Amino acid sequence: MKEEQVDIRKKDLIKAFTIEDVEMAEMVNDPLDAAPHLPFGFLNREWKSYLEKIGNTKILWSFKILWEEDGCESFNIEGYVVFLDGQAGKPFLIRIN
Amino acid sequence: MTAQSQEIITIDGKKTSMCSEPLYQYLSLTSIDYSFVARSTNLWRGYIGEWEILHGRLYLIGFIGEIENGIEIKLKDMFHKYGKRAFAHWYNGTLRIPQGELLEYVHMGYGSTYEQDRNIVIKKGVVIEDEVVKNSDKVTTSTGGRWWK
């Protein structure tokens, strides 16, 4: 499953966040210091890469969708996405289960 | 698919095995493509992880996998300075830890049924529920018949 394949619609959006709010909400803390103390922890590199791609965008929407693959397997997918003029951009995926 | 080798997990100081693969979610989310090689039909995922629940959190504490050209990948290759212990903050789901006698063997995936399952629900790497479900009433006689008395 690739980010580009994930079809996000307006009904899937949950809440709008500033980039700063996202980074605060997704900051990883571990008392044993077993993960980077950074937004998204071990996925911080992917997050930084995503920020570069979305450029000057200030607002992201959190979303959650049920994704069905090949008509047999389904996953809950959560993440953040730019949503402008009724269109979702490429999402940043943070949870698949 | 052949019955699959289980991941290892230490809970309450005791080492056991589980029918869940918490690393799968990380491998789906990271931009690094490890492409593990399956050397055996009982290990299609191509790796085995060793986990620990400690202070209500899920940690990956050991790992061995193989990629192309026989290159071995260990925990430090994936998590660098966190190569002895990596907090599984990416994981959301339920760890299924079978306990007791084998009631019904299923030659596929993690389909076998044991006396009971300890189901540990994890959210963002943190334990939020922990329950034991008895399976003795759940075993069916679908194809293989009953394996217990």
Side-chain angles (χ1 to χ4, degrees):
Chain A
M1 188 262 306
K2 297 206 178 339
E3 290 93 338
E4 294 83 356
Q5 297 174 303
V6 179
D7 182 20
I8 299 157
R9 307 197 175 173
K10 192 172 182 180
K11 66 177 175 55
D12 305 316
L13 304 180
I14 300 169
K15 187 180 174 186
F17 291 88
T18 64
I19 302 291
E20 291 74 21
D21 286 342
V22 171
E23 294 198 326
M24 204 178 298
E26 302 290 351
M27 182 65 73
V28 172
N29 288 297
D30 182 62
L32 300 183
D33 195 26
H37 179 56
L38 294 168
F40 302 100
F42 290 113
L43 298 168
N44 182 262
R45 173 183 23 209
E46 287 75 8
W47 170 243
K48 284 186 172 172
S49 170
Y50 183 74
L51 289 182
E52 283 179 18
K53 285 175 191 159
I54 62 173
N56 292 325
T57 304
K58 302 290 183 203
I59 300 293
L60 292 176
W61 283 83
S62 59
F63 70 89
K64 184 174 183 177
I65 60 169
L66 182 66
W67 177 255
E68 290 189 6
E69 195 164 80
D70 303 330
C72 55
E73 277 195 283
S74 62
F75 307 92
N76 284 307
I77 296 179
E78 294 177 55
Y80 294 95
V81 69
V82 179
F83 198 87
L84 285 174
D85 302 324
Q87 293 284 319
K90 184 182 169 185
F92 180 68
L93 306 184
I94 59 169
R95 283 169 210 112
I96 300 174
N97 65 330
Chain B
M1 184 168 72
T2 312
Q4 294 297 292
S5 296
Q6 299 177 350
E7 297 277 283
I8 300 160
I9 187 165
T10 297
I11 310 173
D12 307 326
K14 289 182 182 173
K15 193 178 283 194
T16 184
S17 54
M18 67 173 169
C19 301
S20 307
E21 299 168 7
L23 197 63
Y24 174 79
Q25 292 182 15
Y26 178 73
L27 296 174
S28 301
L29 295 169
T30 183
S31 54
I32 302 169
D33 180 11
Y34 286 100
S35 297
F36 293 105
V37 175
R39 291 287 179 212
S40 164
T41 56
N42 69 355
L43 193 62
W44 285 116
R45 65 186 182 280
Y47 66 80
I48 288 190
E50 184 172 351
W51 304 81
E52 182 178 29
I53 300 274
L54 186 64
H55 306 315
R57 287 174 168 236
L58 178 65
Y59 295 95
L60 180 59
I61 58 170
F63 180 86
I64 188 123
E66 189 180 320
I67 57 174
E68 283 187 7
N69 301 319
I71 297 169
E72 202 170 77
I73 299 290
K74 294 185 176 175
L75 192 57
K76 65 179 168 51
D77 300 313
M78 298 179 73
F79 293 99
H80 310 290
K81 70 176 271 200
Y82 303 93
K84 289 187 176 173
R85 177 180 295 275
F87 172 45
H89 64 78
W90 64 82
Y91 184 70
N92 291 269
T94 301
L95 306 178
R96 182 167 77 87
I97 297 138
Q99 297 177 326
E101 296 294 314
L102 176 66
L103 300 183
E104 185 178 49
Y105 175 74
V106 175
H107 192 63
M108 191 173 80
Y110 298 123
S112 295
T113 304
Y114 293 76
E115 273 184 301
Q116 56 189 35
D117 288 323
R118 183 171 175 180
N119 293 326
I120 301 178
V121 182
I122 307 280
K123 187 174 181 183
K124 290 188 176 183
V126 176
V127 175
I128 57 168
E129 278 182 49
D130 185 351
E131 65 169 7
V132 173
V133 176
K134 294 196 182 299
N135 293 321
S136 43
D137 298 333
K138 291 185 182 173
V139 179
T140 64
T141 55
S142 55
T143 52
R146 290 175 184 261
W147 283 62
W148 75 102
K149 293 177 183 177

